[in-house]
Amino acid sequence: MRMLHTALGTTFTKGISKYLQKYKYANAAQEDLWQCLTEAAQEDGRNVQVKEVMDTWTLQMGFPVVTVTRDYSNGRVTVSQRHFLYDPEVNVSNSLRNNVWQVPLTFMSRDSGNVSRDNGGVSTHDVFWLRKREGTALELLVSIYEDFHLDIDGSSWLLANTNQTGYYRVNYDVTNWKLLAEDLNSDNLQNIPAQNRAGLIDDAFNLVRSGDLAPAVALNLSRYLKREREYLPWLAVERAFGYLHMMLADTNGSSDLKVYVQSLVTYIYHELGWENSGDHTTMLNRLTVLSIACRYGLPRCLREARERKDALDNGGSVEPNMKAIILQYGSDRTGSGLVAAILNRTRSLVDSGLFTKADLLNKLMTLVDSKEEKMLVFNFLKDNWDYMMEGATEPPGLISKLTEEFTTHKDLTQFEEFVASHLNMASRSDVTEALERIRQNFLWRECHENAVRGWLAQERRGRG
């Protein structure tokens, strides 16, 4: 709806008012809303069939990735779309693979000036509709920005999906990615809105995950984060590096990743600190930054978390929104020892009546954090599944949590053997999803792990 609002501009509000007035005290369907918005558009002299547009978003699965390719010799731009999938080999029907969306594209460039980014929107004549799968040539973007001088210089970046109002990912040619990274690493950082800086990080690392972008492109882009101070980009960072953290957890690249992320987060960590002050967005940003800094082992962050945890244990108090971080990173992990001890005594604990099977499973779910601990529980359940499930309620998300860090061929084989050895397990949706996720993780590591580890190792040597 935000995307539609951006595409229609003031016509959207007019159509919503028409819809509410027409159907007050009555029932309505989504087609009625689309019709009112279409009527409002026609009244404003615009030939837009809203139902045709929105049916592509509400009646079919997924969303697209839009690829923007530039010809730097003549200023021409080609845009195309396809169904965004993390695994290109996933078993999806051709009808789903061939989905086409009516995509409202908005653009800005370094040379195009301020494109309504102050108020978070763009005017209606700034929208180009991409309705076809194959490339559409846009010479100098004249059809998009009729009111702007867009003689785009070859040294200027081009940015699609202004202010991230569109529900799609964007990929660019390598040169444009490089131009974006160069500006982010310069005094022109603020020329790209914070929403789009977050979107660039989110799109780049998810495109790496899907195999559509070389890891080095996304990692080179991320170097600018030493200069980043806004909340939305750091929220995107937390998610983006979380996937790499999981993929490299059992490799030598894990320490290189931690060192690299520490180098990015150090500056803003010291600026924000631990004092719970500032406006709402600043406090959200502080929690995100502290979580990143502690998760990737920034010594000062871990030391502060431990000191605050000790103070809490001795009767002190902490701000409620800080408590989760302090408890998570200020506590000494019990490691696999406690988990193994519980698993070894499971039958005696249940037989003695001290715990029910469900209680033990729930307790284990609160304790396991590392892949090692999750693997201990998984192996125990693999051998004792029928016993543990007899008369017990399975904790919600059990399979998903235990297998979320399964990333190797060995992990995949073990889980497949577990599924095959238990009746009706293969028909469960959570099991199917887990199998697909493990397969995707394994294939990603096979294709991209060496490239990521090589880049991180080189980056560390360069700083050394």
Side-chain angles (χ1 to χ4, degrees):
M1 295 302 288
R2 179 171 179 253
M3 178 172 64
L4 183 60
H5 183 197
T6 301
L8 295 180
T10 56
T11 295
F12 180 86
T13 304
K14 182 177 180 180
I16 291 292
S17 297
K18 179 188 286 288
Y19 169 77
L20 294 174
Q21 190 65 32
K22 184 175 182 179
Y23 292 101
K24 63 183 179 182
Y25 311 119
N27 296 324
Q30 73 172 12
E31 286 78 5
D32 300 317
L33 174 59
W34 304 153
Q35 181 59 33
C36 288
L37 289 167
T38 299
E39 292 171 3
Q42 292 171 346
E43 290 171 7
D44 290 343
R46 305 183 62 223
N47 184 23
V48 178
Q49 297 297 320
V50 176
K51 175 177 167 53
E52 291 181 10
V53 173
M54 294 307 295
D55 279 357
T56 68
W57 296 94
T58 63
L59 300 182
Q60 63 185 17
M61 180 189 297
F63 56 89
V65 53
V66 173
T67 300
V68 179
T69 307
R70 299 171 60 187
D71 185 332
Y72 295 86
S73 65
N74 59 23
R76 294 178 69 87
V77 176
T78 301
V79 292
S80 61
Q81 63 162 296
R82 67 168 177 78
H83 194 163
F84 178 76
L85 296 168
Y86 281 123
D87 181 3
E89 299 179 14
V90 69
N91 185 23
V92 175
S93 66
N94 287 333
S95 61
L96 290 178
R97 286 187 183 277
N98 294 325
N99 282 348
V100 176
W101 289 262
Q102 294 204 23
V103 183
L105 289 174
T106 53
F107 291 89
M108 65 179 292
S109 77
R110 188 189 66 195
D111 300 332
S112 66
N114 185 351
V115 188
S116 302
R117 62 176 181 262
D118 291 335
N119 60 16
V122 291
S123 55
T124 55
H125 60 271
D126 294 330
V127 176
F128 167 79
W129 289 95
L130 174 62
R131 296 182 171 91
K132 297 180 180 179
R133 172 175 297 279
E134 297 303 324
T136 302
L138 309 176
E139 186 169 0
L140 296 178
L141 304 182
V142 172
S143 61
I144 305 170
Y145 287 117
E146 295 177 354
D147 294 341
F148 291 90
H149 178 64
L150 282 179
D151 226 353
I152 301 176
D153 187 89
S155 64
S156 172
W157 47 261
L158 180 65
L159 188 68
N161 197 10
T162 309
N163 290 320
Q164 293 298 110
T165 56
Y167 192 64
Y168 50 88
R169 298 202 180 281
V170 183
N171 196 3
Y172 304 94
D173 59 78
V174 173
T175 299
N176 197 68
W177 277 114
K178 182 180 179 181
L179 291 171
L180 286 163
E182 288 175 351
D183 239 31
L184 288 173
N185 274 295
S186 72
D187 293 336
N188 299 320
L189 169 68
Q190 299 299 329
N191 285 349
I192 299 177
Q195 300 101 310
N196 279 106
R197 300 201 299 271
L200 286 170
I201 291 293
D202 189 64
D203 283 347
F205 280 87
N206 276 285
L207 289 166
V208 169
R209 183 174 171 181
S210 66
D212 293 303
L213 190 66
V217 176
L219 290 165
N220 287 336
L221 182 78
S222 72
R223 285 194 179 108
Y224 100 91
L225 289 164
K226 294 178 182 179
R227 309 163 59 86
E228 184 59 72
R229 299 297 181 265
E230 298 290 336
Y231 167 57
L232 287 178
W234 279 108
L235 183 63
V237 169
E238 185 175 33
R239 298 167 180 168
F241 280 104
Y243 185 75
L244 294 185
H245 179 72
M246 180 178 70
M247 290 293 103
L248 301 178
D250 57 354
T251 73
N252 294 333
S254 178
S255 62
D256 288 341
L257 177 64
K258 289 180 179 179
V259 170
Y260 178 61
V261 177
Q262 287 176 33
S263 74
L264 301 178
V265 78
T266 295
Y267 302 96
I268 190 171
Y269 169 79
H270 288 298
E271 286 184 15
L272 293 176
W274 284 78
E275 296 307 314
N276 195 38
S277 59
D279 59 23
H280 181 63
T281 303
T282 300
M283 289 191 286
L284 288 175
N285 198 17
R286 179 178 292 108
L287 294 175
T288 302
V289 167
L290 291 179
S291 179
I292 294 171
C294 284
R295 182 179 188 185
Y296 292 91
L298 190 69
R300 294 180 184 180
C301 187
L302 293 174
R303 183 166 59 249
E304 184 71 27
R306 284 192 291 268
E307 290 175 359
R308 289 174 179 261
K309 174 61 166 58
D310 291 341
L312 185 62
D313 291 341
N314 291 321
S317 62
V318 296
E319 292 289 342
N321 60 344
M322 293 281 196
K323 192 171 184 179
I325 290 177
I326 292 170
L327 292 177
Q328 181 175 3
Y329 296 106
S331 302
D332 292 328
R333 292 292 306 170
T334 58
S336 57
L338 179 57
V339 173
I342 293 174
L343 293 174
N344 289 334
R345 297 185 58 199
T346 294
R347 288 182 180 268
S348 61
L349 290 171
V350 171
D351 292 343
S352 67
L354 293 174
F355 290 93
T356 65
K357 296 173 185 176
D359 289 339
L360 279 174
L361 287 172
N362 285 313
K363 179 64 175 176
L364 287 167
M365 287 303 96
T366 64
L367 290 175
V368 294
D369 182 59
S370 67
K371 181 176 179 179
E372 180 186 7
E373 294 163 354
K374 293 172 185 176
M375 187 60 77
L376 283 172
V377 177
F378 172 75
N379 286 331
F380 173 82
L381 289 178
K382 184 176 66 173
D383 297 332
N384 299 275
W385 182 261
D386 293 335
Y387 167 75
M388 292 300 295
M389 292 300 110
E390 184 181 4
T393 302
E394 183 179 336
L398 174 68
I399 295 296
S400 177
K401 181 167 185 176
L402 292 180
T403 61
E404 61 187 350
E405 295 183 49
F406 282 21
T407 62
T408 67
H409 186 265
K410 180 180 178 181
D411 295 336
L412 178 61
T413 301
Q414 282 188 306
F415 190 62
E416 287 176 334
E417 291 173 351
F418 165 68
V419 172
S421 62
H422 293 90
L423 188 65
N424 299 326
M425 187 66 73
S427 62
R428 287 175 43 168
S429 60
D430 60 334
V431 171
T432 303
E433 291 171 5
L435 278 168
E436 190 59 47
R437 184 179 64 251
I438 299 168
R439 178 176 173 273
Q440 290 175 11
N441 291 342
F442 161 62
L443 291 175
W444 188 92
R445 288 190 63 170
E446 204 173 47
C447 296
H448 305 294
E449 179 189 328
N450 288 338
V452 174
R453 290 174 62 182
W455 190 95
L456 291 169
Q458 184 176 4
E459 186 75 6
R460 189 171 186 173
R461 287 195 297 270
R463 288 193 304 274

